[in-house]
């Protein structure tokens, strides 16, 4: 049987669900964007786009499903009964675009000739089969009601309501939804909240692997005063920690998590040049994130990006255009779109509650940004060169210490990877100064 690997939601019943549902001057950037740490870094990274204004919300879900298509099942608690016209499949490229645009970034600067007058200028660049509701036992006997049933793209979808979690679990299993045993414990809280269940599996008759290399994201639109993202169901089949990237789009400002602590990912620090030259940036970012997560005992959510979509500085990718924003779920007429990117690493024990959000007017900018500075490599035979090369040496020492502190990497090994300048040799006085001074 053909094996598939998808950049999508978690395994089997990876349930991401959602219901819902300033200003500091951008520092002038002078450098080149050179790399990014995007969602490809993580093996089990679910990605969710939430576009919300007031009670209206569009939710786009992509996952990292790995397994056989017959076993794919997605169960998402939703606040309302969704009709067919409220659900569609979306172009997976929109997930890649929004991930690439907001990813933590590596930038680089090049020192000027220390023997030339300092200019307040530097280059800036931008790299720029429908379930059988009549199964045995019957849906009625299990307290399950099939509210809606339809096909969208390669998915067969049913909208369920339930009165009892064991009955819902039994219904899903008897109708060939491959969900883990014990799901009822996590389903029960949602039933108590009178939520419905958006349940999807792959309609193999409608899936064309020649046309799409992977399952496409599912997108749904609805209104609700609840602004939350259920993540608890996704822990049922989790194998260790899971990474979740949430991209929140709002016409107002930053979107904040209200029931867990949010911290900014370490940013605006100098790191050694070899991180770029040896293509170590993904390794660096993963190690730094891991250490930051551990220092917070795994109980913090990390802010990786917060910016108005109208600009970026530096840009890791060009801003999304109006058509792309529409695909991402932006439905309001106002062109203002503020984006918040949150990174959650969670498991069943550390996150006993689903994520709850609130919109805010805070339009403070933030980005995960890491800087490398190249020493001047030309001839420098002036008196100022001595001080310059000593400053470079000190800077390299500091960047080694910073890298070690952020990642936990061995300091001596880090230093062995750095091509330190030699202030003594490089800063020797020009020969003629012995005569001319």
């Amino acid at each position: 049987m053909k094996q598939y690997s998808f950049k999508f939601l978690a395994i089997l019943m990876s349930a991401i669900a959602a219901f819902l549902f300033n200003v500091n001057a951008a520092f002038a950037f002078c450098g080149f964007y050179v790399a990014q740490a995007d969602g490809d870094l993580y093996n089990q990274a679910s990605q969710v786009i939430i576009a919300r204004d007031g009670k209206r919300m569009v939710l786009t879900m992509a996952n990292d499903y790995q397994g056989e298509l017959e076993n794919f099942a997605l169960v998402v608690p939703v606040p309302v009964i969704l009709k067919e016209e409220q659900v569609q499949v979306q172009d997976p490229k929109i997930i890649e675009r929004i991930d690439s645009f907001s990813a933590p970034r590596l930038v680089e600067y090049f020192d000027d000739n220390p023997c030339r007058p300092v200019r307040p200028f530097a280059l800036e660049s931008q790299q720029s089969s429908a379930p059988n509701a009549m199964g045995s036992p019957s849906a009625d006997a299990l307290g399950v009601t099939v509210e809606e049933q339809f096909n969208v793209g390669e998915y067969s979808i049913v909208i369920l309501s339930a009165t009892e979690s064991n009955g819902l679990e039994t219904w899903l299993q008897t109708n060939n939804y491959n969900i883990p045993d014990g799901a009822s414990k996590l389903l029960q809280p949602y039933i108590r909240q009178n939520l419905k269940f958006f349940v999807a599996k792959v309609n193999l008759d409608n899936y064309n692997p020649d046309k799409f290399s992977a399952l496409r994201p599912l997108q749904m639109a609805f209104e609700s005063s609840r602004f939350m993202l259920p993540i608890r169901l996704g822990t049922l089949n989790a194998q260790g920690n899971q990474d979740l990237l949430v991209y929140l789009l709002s016409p107002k400002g930053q979107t904040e998590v209200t029931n867990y602590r949010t911290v900014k990912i370490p940013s605006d620090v100098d790191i050694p040049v070899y991180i770029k030259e040896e293509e170590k940036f993904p390794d660096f970012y993963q190690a730094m994130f891991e250490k930051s997560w551990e220092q917070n005992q795994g109980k913090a959510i990390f802010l990786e990006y917060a910016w108005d979509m109208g600009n970026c500085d530096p840009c890791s990718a060009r801003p999304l255009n109006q058509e792309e924003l529409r695909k991402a779920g932006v439905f309001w007429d106002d062109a203002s779109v503020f984006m918040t990117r949150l990174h959650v690493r969670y498991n069943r024990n550390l996150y006993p509650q689903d994520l709850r959000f609130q919109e805010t007017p805070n339009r403070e900018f933030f980005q995960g940004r890491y800087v490398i500075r190249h020493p001047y490599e030309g001839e420098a035979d002036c008196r100022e060169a001595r001080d310059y090369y000593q400053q470079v040496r000190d800077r390299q020492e500091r960047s080694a210490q910073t890298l070690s502190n952020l990642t936990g990497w061995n300091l001596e090994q880090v230093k062995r990877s750095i091509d330190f300048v030699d202030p003594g040799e490089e800063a020797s006085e020009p020969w003629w100064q012995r005569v001319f001074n």
Side-chain angles (χ1 to χ4, degrees), residues 274-292:
Y274 84 88
I275 293 297
K276 180 219 171 183
E277 294 177 340
E278 299 181 12
E279 300 181 348
K280 297 285 189 183
F281 184 57
D283 296 336
F284 154 74
Y285 193 80
Q286 288 185 85
M288 184 193 68
F289 184 89
E290 178 74 21
K291 186 172 182 182
S292 300

Side-chain angles (χ1 to χ4, degrees), residues 109-124:
Y109 295 83
F110 293 86
D111 287 353
D112 204 352
N113 185 340
C115 297
R116 280 207 304 241
V118 177
R119 296 173 302 150
F121 168 81
L123 290 175
E124 178 174 354

Side-chain angles (χ1 to χ4, degrees), residues 8 30 34 82 116 137 146 169 232 240 266-267 287 336 367 378-379:
F8 267 176
C30 304
V34 293
L82 294 166
R116 280 207 304 241
V146 179
E169 180 179 351
R232 294 285 294 158
S267 180
S336 176
Q367 60 182 326
E379 291 188 8

Side-chain angles (χ1 to χ4, degrees), residues 12 46 224 276 341 347 399 403:
L12 306 182
S46 302
S224 175
K276 180 219 171 183
R341 171 180 172 132
N347 59 48
S399 69
L403 182 62

Side-chain angles (χ1 to χ4, degrees), residues 132-162:
N132 178 11
M134 300 302 291
S136 178
S138 69
D140 286 344
L142 295 171
V144 176
T145 301
V146 179
E147 303 284 0
E148 294 287 338
Q149 181 173 319
F150 48 86
N151 293 322
V152 172
E154 61 267 39
Y155 298 98
S156 291
I157 295 167
V158 292
I159 309 297
L160 305 175
S161 60

Side-chain angles (χ1 to χ4, degrees), residues 46-62:
S46 302
Q47 299 185 70
V48 176
I49 304 173
I50 299 173
R52 183 174 174 101
D53 183 17
K55 295 182 179 180
R56 297 179 177 178
M57 188 181 92
V58 176
L59 171 68
T60 308
M61 301 177 297

Side-chain angles (χ1 to χ4, degrees), residues 235-417:
T235 64
L236 265 176
N237 55 343
Q239 299 176 359
N241 297 323
Q242 293 189 87
D243 286 285
L244 169 65
L245 298 175
V246 187
Y247 313 99
L248 297 129
L249 306 176
S250 166
K252 299 175 182 174
Q254 286 191 27
T255 301
E256 299 177 349
V257 177
T258 61
N259 58 335
Y260 291 106
R261 186 165 59 95
T262 301
V263 299
K264 294 178 179 176
I265 195 74
S267 180
D268 288 332
V269 293
D270 285 11
I271 57 178
V273 173
Y274 84 88
I275 293 297
K276 180 219 171 183
E277 294 177 340
E278 299 181 12
E279 300 181 348
K280 297 285 189 183
F281 184 57
D283 296 336
F284 154 74
Y285 193 80
Q286 288 185 85
M288 184 193 68
F289 184 89
E290 178 74 21
K291 186 172 182 182
S292 300
W293 186 79
E294 291 175 351
Q295 288 175 332
N296 286 279
Q297 291 79 49
K299 296 180 179 178
I301 293 171
F302 290 89
L303 176 67
E304 292 186 327
Y305 189 81
W307 214 281
D308 191 296
M309 188 62 75
N311 63 79
C312 47
D313 186 14
C315 296
S316 61
R318 60 179 170 78
L320 277 66
N321 60 35
Q322 289 300 310
E323 175 63 18
E324 290 170 327
L325 288 173
R326 186 189 63 76
K327 289 183 176 180
V330 172
F331 53 86
W332 50 89
D333 294 331
D334 187 345
S336 176
V337 177
F338 198 96
M339 178 176 170
T340 305
R341 171 180 172 132
L342 300 174
H343 187 164
V344 188
R345 176 165 291 176
Y346 68 104
N347 59 48
R348 189 170 183 174
N349 297 324
L350 291 175
Y351 285 79
Q353 300 177 358
D354 296 317
L355 303 181
R356 300 179 186 279
F357 303 102
Q358 66 179 7
E359 295 176 282
T360 78
N362 177 12
R363 299 183 70 85
E364 178 183 359
F365 295 157
F366 175 80
Q367 60 182 326
R369 174 177 174 271
Y370 310 93
V371 181
I372 57 176
R373 301 181 189 277
H374 296 269
Y376 178 67
E377 295 183 345
E379 291 188 8
D381 52 4
C382 62
R383 184 184 300 276
E384 290 78 7
R386 180 190 301 276
D387 291 340
Y388 166 73
Y389 285 115
Q390 184 58 56
Q391 291 168 5
V392 171
R393 177 73 183 218
D394 295 343
R395 187 175 77 199
Q396 290 175 316
E397 293 280 356
R398 289 195 301 272
S399 69
Q401 187 66 61
T402 298
L403 182 62
S404 178
N405 291 342
L406 288 175
T407 61
W409 292 350
N410 181 274
L411 179 58
E412 294 307 314
Q413 291 182 356
V414 168
K415 287 185 174 180
R416 284 197 289 272
S417 299

